[in-house]
Amino acid sequence: FEKYFSSLKNFDELKILILGLGDIGQKLAQKLNSLGAKIDSFSRTTKNLRFINKEIRLSDSNTKLEVYDFIVSLLPDNESTKDILDFNFFKRLSKNAIFINAGRGNTVLEKDLIKSLNLGSPKLALLDVIKNEPLSIEDPIYTHPKTIVTPHIFAFSPSYWESEIELFENNLNF
């Protein structure tokens, strides 16, 4: 605890960038904003939501990505998002930033993420989705000390297995 104490922040001190403002992105932004976090977003369309401070363009090189504590990607899978999160994106993040991808694996150019992590930015990458699944145990995404890979369970809840069993039974009887 003491090791990390100086880097802890209250929610009202956090600046979070959410990439992708579909249903999940909007719900996340609203909940984090209600806790006091400052939320900016990237979306293809302007949403004008009261709980979003600023909507940004990733392609604008003047956008200051180094100000964000967390970057949460919930981007969809389409041609305009393929490999959009590349070295030019990651190198602009703060050395203390935490990158989370719970959207789609093909939005991240993984070799560029590894290169950026090796150069010290972001501090950590939490990946619930990856480009090529299943992931090899030797893959740098899996073995890198600054990555945490989860098995596509970011949506886990206390009723997860109950819902999964119900879905399985429904599909089995289909």
Side-chain angles (χ1 to χ4, degrees):
F1 178 75
E2 288 80 12
K3 178 180 175 182
Y4 301 103
F5 187 76
S6 65
S7 64
L8 294 176
K9 291 185 176 183
N10 293 320
F11 268 101
D12 63 353
E13 298 172 296
L14 292 177
K15 195 150 171 108
I16 300 170
L17 175 62
I18 297 177
L19 308 174
L21 277 183
D23 290 340
I24 295 171
Q26 287 183 41
K27 287 177 183 171
L28 177 63
Q30 191 171 15
K31 289 183 185 304
L32 291 171
N33 178 263
S34 71
L35 294 170
K38 294 159 194 72
I39 309 298
D40 291 347
S41 70
F42 163 78
S43 181
R44 287 180 294 168
T45 59
T46 302
K47 304 283 188 193
N48 294 319
L49 302 170
R50 63 176 171 69
F51 44 85
I52 300 291
N53 289 336
K54 179 171 61 170
E55 295 186 39
I56 67 162
R57 295 280 159 236
L58 288 183
S59 56
D60 183 356
S61 60
N62 294 323
T63 300
K64 295 187 181 300
L65 297 177
E66 70 274 6
V67 301
Y68 297 104
D69 300 294
F70 291 89
I71 298 87
V72 181
S73 177
L74 299 167
L75 292 170
D77 176 8
N78 61 48
E79 278 305 310
S80 68
T81 61
K82 184 176 186 215
D83 296 330
I84 193 171
L85 304 177
D86 59 8
F87 185 71
N88 289 325
F89 172 81
F90 291 114
K91 75 178 182 181
R92 294 165 52 205
L93 302 182
S94 162
K95 294 195 180 304
N96 292 315
I98 296 175
F99 172 72
I100 301 169
N101 188 11
R104 295 292 178 245
N106 71 348
T107 61
V108 175
L109 199 53
E110 293 169 355
K111 67 180 175 61
D112 287 4
L113 173 59
I114 293 296
K115 180 179 175 182
S116 296
L117 287 165
N118 288 338
L119 293 172
S121 144
K123 175 170 61 175
L124 182 67
L126 304 171
L127 306 169
D128 193 45
V129 291
I130 53 169
K131 189 172 288 195
N132 296 310
E133 296 178 8
L135 185 63
S136 161
I137 198 159
E138 293 88 24
D139 192 296
I141 287 289
Y142 187 70
T143 60
H144 199 283
K146 293 182 177 181
T147 61
I148 297 173
V149 179
T150 58
H152 211 135
I153 58 164
F154 272 14
F156 187 78
S157 70
S159 62
Y160 178 82
W161 288 115
E162 182 180 305
S163 298
E164 288 299 301
I165 290 168
E166 183 179 320
L167 177 63
F168 179 80
E169 288 174 343
N170 183 56
N171 288 339
L172 184 65
N173 294 323
F174 184 68

